[in-house]
């Protein structure tokens, strides 16, 4: 008969393997995240439909993907909480200094929001620190591609190089120290200088 589980001389337990390399080693076939069951599942004792699943799917991504899913089987997905009692979460770092710290080299994006299956994100933050809306490749600190509207006041360029300020229906251009400016008034048609 095939060995189902084993505990070796080092105290490591293996399930699906006779050579466990850690305290608990699980080996199983690829399980898709949408297949209903993971390689490893934790059940709620009072309602076994509620569970937390872990799996590896070699068909996702160029190197495969690990996945975690909390759900109530046959009903719906459940929320997944990380450090619910407090503590920072780090992605790409071993020293998270914010509630969520994400660190990445300059070659790839740090954060992306997009529709499923699309390549143009709604929002992207690159490793170089650029923020893009409607573009996958922002070339400036803030890069917007597409039409839009902005409510409230806007100040661009303050802090050493003059500024452009749009507030209500007024557009103001001013120099570095703010002593000289040109204001364009939309309704009155007046132009104020200084």
């Amino acid at each position: 008969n095939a060995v189902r589980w084993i505990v070796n001389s080092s105290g490591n337990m293996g399930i699906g393997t006779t050579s466990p390399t850690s305290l608990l080693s699980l080996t199983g076939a690829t399980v898709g995240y949408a297949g209903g069951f993971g390689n490893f599942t934790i059940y709620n004792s009072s309602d076994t439909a509620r569970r937390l699943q872990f799996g590896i799917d070699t068909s996702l991504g160029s190197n495969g993907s690990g996945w975690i899913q909390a759900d109530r089987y046959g009903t719906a997905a459940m929320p997944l909480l990380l450090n619910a009692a407090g503590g920072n979460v780090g992605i790409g770092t071993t020293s998270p200094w914010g509630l969520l710290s994400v660190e990445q080299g300059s070659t790839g994006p740090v954060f992306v929001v997009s529709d499923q299956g699309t390549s143009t994100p709604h929002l992207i933050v690159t490793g170089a620190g650029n923020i893009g809306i409607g573009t996958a490749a922002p070339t400036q600190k803030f890069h917007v591609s597409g039409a839009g509207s902005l409510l409230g006041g806007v100040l661009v360029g303050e802090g050493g190089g003059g500024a452009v300020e749009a507030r209500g229906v007024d557009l103001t251009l001013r120099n570095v120290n703010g002593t000289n400016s040109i204001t364009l008034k939309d309704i009155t048609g007046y132009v104020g200088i200084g």
Side-chain angles (χ1 to χ4, degrees):
N1 294 332
V3 176
R4 300 298 183 186
W5 62 274
I6 189 173
V7 178
N8 64 18
S9 58
S10 298
N12 295 337
M13 172 178 273
I15 299 176
T17 175
T18 57
S19 302
T21 56
S22 56
L23 286 177
L24 177 60
S25 298
L26 305 174
T27 302
T30 292
V31 179
Y33 71 95
F37 296 93
N39 294 104
F40 174 59
T41 305
I42 301 173
Y43 294 94
N44 181 280
S45 61
S46 60
D47 182 356
T48 57
R50 299 178 191 270
R51 61 205 181 150
L52 179 62
Q53 303 179 76
F54 302 82
I56 297 175
D57 191 335
T58 57
S59 67
L60 300 176
S62 58
N63 297 313
S65 297
W67 58 269
I68 302 173
Q69 178 63 56
D71 68 359
R72 188 175 187 185
Y73 182 64
T75 304
M78 296 191 306
L80 178 63
L81 311 180
L82 297 177
N83 281 359
N88 297 338
V89 175
I91 299 176
T93 175
T94 57
S95 303
W97 51 277
L99 285 178
L100 176 60
S101 296
V102 182
E103 295 186 12
Q104 165 72 337
S106 60
T107 58
V110 173
F111 182 72
V112 177
V113 178
S114 65
D115 287 333
Q116 188 173 14
T118 64
S119 59
T120 301
H122 300 306
L123 173 68
I124 187 171
V125 180
T126 70
N130 294 340
I131 299 173
I133 296 177
T135 175
T139 58
Q140 304 296 325
K141 287 301 180 184
F142 186 56
H143 184 161
V144 179
S145 178
S149 61
L150 194 57
L151 303 178
V154 179
L155 181 62
V156 180
E158 184 79 350
V164 177
E165 181 179 6
R167 187 173 300 277
V169 295
D170 298 345
L171 177 65
T172 301
L173 311 176
R174 64 171 179 261
N175 65 355
V176 175
N177 57 25
T179 58
N180 298 307
S181 64
I182 298 176
T183 300
L184 305 178
K185 299 272 188 186
D186 181 40
I187 296 177
T188 64
Y190 297 152
V191 176
I193 300 178

